[in-house]
Amino acid sequence: MIFGCIADDFTGGSDIASFFVKGGLRTVLFNGVPSDQTIPEVDVCVIALKTRTQDTQEAVKVSLDAIKWLKEQGAQQFYVKYCSTFDSTPEGNIGPISDAVMEELDAPYTILCPALPVNGRTVKNGCLYVHGVPLHESSMKDHPLTPMWDYDLARIMEPQSKFTSMKLPKGLTKEEAEEFIVKVQQENASSPFYIIPDFEKEEDAEQIVQLFGNLILLTGGSGLAEPLAKMYQQNVETDEFGRSNSKVILLSGSCSETTRKQIEAYSQSGGESYFIDPMKLLSGEESVEKIWNVIKNTDESILVYSSDTPENVKLIQEQGKEEVAELLEKTTAELAALAAEAGYHRIIVAGGETSGAVTKRLGFTSYHIGESIAPGVPIMIPTQDTSIRLVLKSGNFGDTDFFLQALSRT
Ligand SMILES: Nc1ncnc2c1ncn2[C@@H]1O[C@H](COP(=O)(O)OP(=O)(O)O)[C@@H](O)[C@H]1O
Ligand SMILES: O=C(O)[C@@H](O)C(=O)COP(=O)(O)O
């Protein structure tokens, strides 16, 4: 195995897996560390965890367990995948997990590389932008669980990591960049550190991969996966599973601006939809059973969502942020399970945490990666049931007509 990767949520895992596949590497996605030791012969193994918002100690523990397992499977290089919008509070887990993995692997240093230019996430002068808007001024400032308060990656890492983060100066040649790194190594004695390379255009990946592609550990979004895979020139074709003609259910717990626009576009195109009102769910006026009845009695495909505006999210969170999130995730996951049992074999979900809850409830442990509906959003086929088509969309990904595209292409 070439790369062993851990992702901090399920959509993050499917996102990076899709780019490794696009780069021509045989890739399998696991939901957590597999208990079955026989894994298929692959070049990349991605383990999706749910560490983004987990208690830090637990998140570090499960991350290290996964890294150790990947080491045992013979992975030669390791990748810690986090969000391209660096979702984490000052107490967040990106620093603690990356620090611990660096130590576990005895990595002298690694890179922080959240950028994914194809989806508008770029790093310039060490600062992260979303479609040209500084991260903390983008809609990420209103994320229900991980609102972003800064865009300077070194500053974001400061309260989280025990190691230094340093911007790689702009415009250096390969030789100058290598000299810079040697100098930083000398200055830091034997302590590990992070380098932040700029990554503004897809072409920038080439130099980043030349400089850092052989490190034992890389950390970042999925922007480097395809160029990294291409270093190995395996050119494996994507598995073909064909379309399904089964019933379809669309579920959304993502409150991102992108998802809300996608929901609006879906409704405007005449698609049936149903809003899960969290307040009614909390009071007991709404329930899984009632929502399931609506789904069952709808002839067409239906989009069931709790997605709402930042103002309404803040209001409902007065009832307890974690409690509300958990209740909504659990409700969505239950609906997905009922639908799967009832023969809805096309399941489309928007939202990273929401998708994590759904996949956990569905219980499939590993996935083939099929074609992508949008960059970073592949169709996934559980290895245990190849009649199922699962599409899990990171909140901020996909074009406005994403739900319609997912319907026509699964
Ligand atoms: N109306 C709502 N009010 C408050 N929280 C919500 C609402 N709808 C969904 N949530 C929660 O917000 C979180 C959204 O996170 P996630 O699913 O990861 O979406 P994204 O990919 O956009 O970040 C989930 O925990 C979800 O349960
Ligand atoms: O890197 C990314 O942007 C995604 O893979 C991702 O992790 C997004 O997280 P969610 O929006 O919570 O799905």
Side-chain angles (χ1 to χ4, degrees):
M1 188 194 309
I2 303 170
F3 291 106
C5 172
I6 56 170
D8 66 356
D9 76 353
F10 199 93
T11 41
S14 64
D15 169 18
I16 195 161
S18 74
F19 284 106
F20 276 124
V21 168
K22 198 159 173 241
L25 293 185
R26 293 167 304 168
T27 303
V28 66
L29 173 64
F30 287 114
N31 198 4
V33 175
S35 47
D36 180 358
Q37 291 297 313
T38 50
I39 64 158
E41 205 175 302
V42 286
D43 305 308
V44 185
C45 181
V46 180
I47 299 186
L49 302 170
K50 204 171 182 304
T51 49
R52 187 172 300 173
T53 51
Q54 208 171 14
D55 162 73
T56 301
Q57 248 188 331
E58 185 58 21
V60 168
K61 185 189 170 303
V62 298
S63 300
L64 287 179
D65 286 348
I67 291 287
K68 286 176 194 162
W69 184 86
L70 289 163
K71 240 196 224 176
E72 281 163 23
Q73 307 308 311
Q76 292 152 31
Q77 285 177 271
F78 299 82
Y79 202 109
V80 171
K81 159 72 177 69
Y82 41 77
C83 192
S84 64
T85 43
F86 219 81
D87 300 23
S88 60
T89 64
E91 296 77 37
N93 293 337
I94 294 177
I97 292 173
S98 306
D99 287 2
V101 176
M102 266 217 279
E103 289 179 309
E104 169 66 27
L105 297 173
D106 268 331
Y109 66 94
T110 186
I111 54 169
L112 291 172
C113 192
L116 178 57
V118 68
N119 279 347
R121 281 77 163 136
T122 52
V123 174
K124 185 177 173 187
N125 297 323
C127 294
L128 183 54
Y129 295 80
V130 180
H131 296 293
V133 179
L135 177 63
H136 61 306
E137 291 171 19
S138 76
S139 59
M140 281 306 297
K141 69 182 187 313
D142 298 315
H143 191 279
L145 301 175
T146 50
M148 293 312 296
W149 76 101
D150 201 344
Y151 75 145
D152 182 304
L153 291 167
R155 269 199 316 250
I156 296 177
M157 279 296 269
E158 218 173 86
Q160 294 191 14
S161 165
K162 50 186 182 185
F163 303 130
T164 316
S165 301
M166 234 157 312
K167 297 170 191 180
L168 183 68
K170 243 186 151 35
L172 300 184
T173 61
K174 185 168 178 279
E175 291 67 33
E176 287 166 341
E178 280 164 355
E179 276 168 29
F180 172 82
I181 293 158
V182 171
K183 196 164 146 263
V184 177
Q185 265 177 314
Q186 286 162 351
E187 282 166 6
N188 275 269
S190 56
S191 177
F193 54 91
Y194 296 96
I195 295 276
I196 307 170
D198 278 0
F199 190 176
E200 292 181 68
K201 304 176 291 306
E202 288 190 60
E203 303 85 88
D204 297 341
E206 198 182 319
Q207 197 196 23
I208 300 174
V209 165
Q210 268 180 19
L211 279 170
F212 304 110
N214 290 316
L215 289 181
I216 183 151
L217 172 67
L218 295 131
T219 84
S222 55
L224 283 183
E226 186 181 347
L228 273 176
K230 284 184 171 157
M231 281 194 333
Y232 292 90
Q233 299 192 327
Q234 311 277 62
N235 300 322
V236 173
E237 297 286 321
T238 314
D239 289 338
E240 270 298 334
F241 287 91
R243 304 254 153 95
S244 160
N245 54 9
S246 125
K247 287 195 276 192
V248 58
I249 181 159
L250 305 125
L251 298 160
S252 174
S254 161
C255 297
S256 73
E257 206 177 347
T258 307
T259 304
R260 285 183 288 120
K261 282 190 184 144
Q262 290 161 343
I263 293 173
E264 202 183 311
Y266 181 75
S267 301
Q268 276 174 2
S269 75
E272 286 276 346
S273 61
Y274 183 83
F275 175 62
I276 307 177
D277 184 334
M279 201 57 109
K280 288 187 181 163
L281 205 56
L282 281 169
S283 72
E285 193 185 326
E286 181 66 283
S287 66
V288 170
E289 291 69 31
K290 285 188 184 166
I291 306 169
W292 177 239
N293 257 324
V294 176
I295 298 171
K296 260 189 346 196
N297 292 317
T298 309
D299 292 334
E300 302 294 315
S301 52
I302 181 164
L303 167 63
V304 178
Y305 66 99
S306 64
S307 319
D308 211 340
T309 59
E311 298 73 39
N312 287 343
V313 166
K314 277 200 187 89
L315 263 180
I316 188 79
Q317 283 183 336
E318 285 169 13
Q319 309 296 315
K321 186 168 157 179
E322 272 81 31
E323 289 76 3
V324 170
E326 205 184 315
L327 179 63
L328 286 168
E329 287 174 29
K330 201 162 163 247
T331 303
T332 313
E334 280 309 318
L335 292 170
L338 285 168
E341 268 166 43
Y344 290 72
H345 283 178
R346 293 189 290 157
I347 303 173
I348 292 145
V349 188
E353 296 289 332
T354 310
S355 297
V358 167
T359 51
K360 192 165 168 218
R361 180 65 183 81
L362 292 179
F364 300 117
T365 50
S366 61
Y367 295 86
H368 300 284
I369 307 296
E371 69 164 290
S372 292
I373 305 289
V377 193
I379 300 170
M380 292 185 298
I381 301 97
T383 47
Q384 290 107 322
D385 184 349
T386 53
S387 69
I388 303 259
R389 302 286 176 272
L390 195 59
V391 177
L392 307 176
K393 186 190 83 74
S394 292
N396 291 308
F397 286 0
D399 290 336
T400 310
D401 63 350
F402 175 82
F403 289 116
L404 291 171
Q405 290 216 32
L407 282 184
S408 68
R409 292 172 56 191
T410 46

